[in-house]
């Protein structure tokens, strides 16, 4: 991993709040994010997030750069020991490429109050594309650590795929994913791949812990995330899902030649 790019990953934004906010403010579209960020003390991972938060309209009393908070050895071992995975996850199958898929909340954005959701059709296409990749290639395996386990119930199109991909014995869907650290599941994968409307914190967590990571940027952040695109377009961030999947196929067939893929 490139040291400069790792430093950049460490600077990206994950934030922790300390105060609660009133329902009246929460349900106001204009003040939604102001309410989330209305704190006396605001903790961030790094300089990038601190810089972004300092430019909000509601000025915070104190912004503290706390660093990456999940390197505690005891927490790491506890999480790892409580995973519903094992080193022989896919049995005797000859797997050359294992992909960890990460997502965020999805919906129709009909009752928008400030938090953009991944459009239903987009997240369905995301998963369908990887399910098709899995089913057409017996050397590929998937681990799905969704934001919420209900994603398959919420999307009937994906529900139809669930039994098919699980019956392949090459797809592990994490049950009860809430509160489980994505980076621990990344230990069993060659790549962590995330879809989100903004920079995906779950993926950044995996990258900081040493995993290869790829962002599917369907929301087109090129004009706002210029630095990321300057060194990472079609390597660690892809606006085109078809191209992303083609690059993964190339990596499986020749990882040495395609070593820059997902390598921060």
């Amino acid at each position: 991993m490139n040291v400069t790019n790792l430093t950049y990953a460490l600077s990206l934004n994950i934030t922790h709040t300390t105060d609660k906010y009133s329902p009246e403010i929460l349900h106001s579209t204009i003040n939604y994010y102001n309410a989330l960020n209305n704190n006396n003390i605001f903790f961030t991972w790094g300089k990038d997030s601190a810089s972004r938060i300092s430019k909000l309209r509601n000025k915070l009393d104190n912004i503290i750069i706390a660093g990456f908070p999940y390197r505690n050895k005891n927490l790491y071992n506890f999480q790892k020991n409580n995973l519903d995975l094992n080193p022989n996850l896919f049995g005797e199958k000859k797997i050359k490429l294992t992909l960890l898929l990460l997502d965020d909340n999805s919906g129709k954005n009909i009752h928008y109050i400030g938090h953009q959701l991944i459009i239903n059709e987009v997240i369905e296409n995301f998963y369908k594309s990887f399910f098709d990749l899995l089913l057409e290639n017996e050397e590929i395996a998937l681990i799905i650590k969704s934001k919420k386990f209900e994603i398959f119930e919420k999307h009937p199109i994906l529900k139809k795929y669930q039994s098919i991909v699980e019956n392949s014995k090459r797809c592990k869907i994490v049950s009860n994913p809430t509160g489980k650290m994505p980076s621990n599941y990344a230990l069993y994968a060659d790549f962590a791949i995330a879809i989100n409307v903004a920079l995906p914190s779950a993926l950044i967590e995996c990258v900081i812990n040493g995993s290869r990571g790829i962002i599917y940027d369907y929301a087109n952040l090129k004009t706002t995330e210029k630095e990321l695109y300057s060194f990472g377009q079609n390597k660690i961030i892809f606006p085109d899902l078809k191209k992303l999947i083609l690059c993964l196929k190339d990596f499986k067939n020749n990882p040495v030649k395609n070593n820059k893929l997902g390598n921060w």
Side-chain angles (χ1 to χ4, degrees), residues 29-165:
T29 301
I30 295 176
N31 292 320
Y32 180 76
Y33 280 110
N34 288 343
L36 289 179
N37 298 333
N38 185 19
N39 308 285
N40 300 115
I41 301 176
F42 203 94
F43 294 92
T44 76
W45 280 11
K47 293 181 180 179
D48 184 85
S49 53
S51 174
R52 296 184 192 210
I53 293 166
S54 68
K55 297 174 184 177
L56 293 175
R57 286 181 299 172
N58 59 319
K59 298 300 181 183
L60 303 172
D61 296 334
N62 299 281
I63 300 173
I64 297 177
I65 300 174
F68 184 59
Y70 302 121
R71 289 194 183 276
N72 181 284
K73 186 175 181 180
N74 292 331
L75 173 62
Y76 176 81
N77 289 334
F78 173 80
Q79 286 267 345
K80 184 178 178 181
N81 293 335
N82 283 275
L83 297 183
D84 46 353
L85 298 179
N86 62 73
N88 195 31
L89 180 61
F90 300 113
E92 300 300 321
K93 295 184 179 295
K94 297 180 180 180
I95 304 300
K96 287 187 176 181
L97 186 67
T98 301
L99 308 174
L100 170 65
L101 302 184
L102 307 167
D103 61 32
D104 202 354
N105 294 320
S106 60
K108 296 181 179 180
N109 288 304
I110 294 176
H111 303 293
Y112 175 77
I113 59 169
H115 181 70
Q116 186 77 25
L117 304 175
I118 302 173
I119 299 170
N120 285 335
E121 292 77 8
V122 172
I123 201 164
E124 289 167 357
N125 182 59
F126 175 77
Y127 276 113
K128 283 172 59 181
S129 297
F130 282 101
F131 290 160
D132 288 339
L133 177 65
L134 172 83
L135 295 173
E136 72 185 26
N137 196 315
E138 294 185 352
E139 295 177 325
I140 291 178
L142 298 179
I143 302 172
I144 298 174
K145 198 278 182 188
S146 184
K147 181 86 168 182
K148 296 180 179 179
F149 186 64
E150 300 81 26
I151 186 168
F152 290 95
E153 302 298 333
K154 186 176 179 180
H155 299 273
I157 293 176
L158 300 183
K159 184 66 176 177
K160 293 179 181 179
Y161 271 90
Q162 185 176 359
S163 61
I164 298 173
V165 296

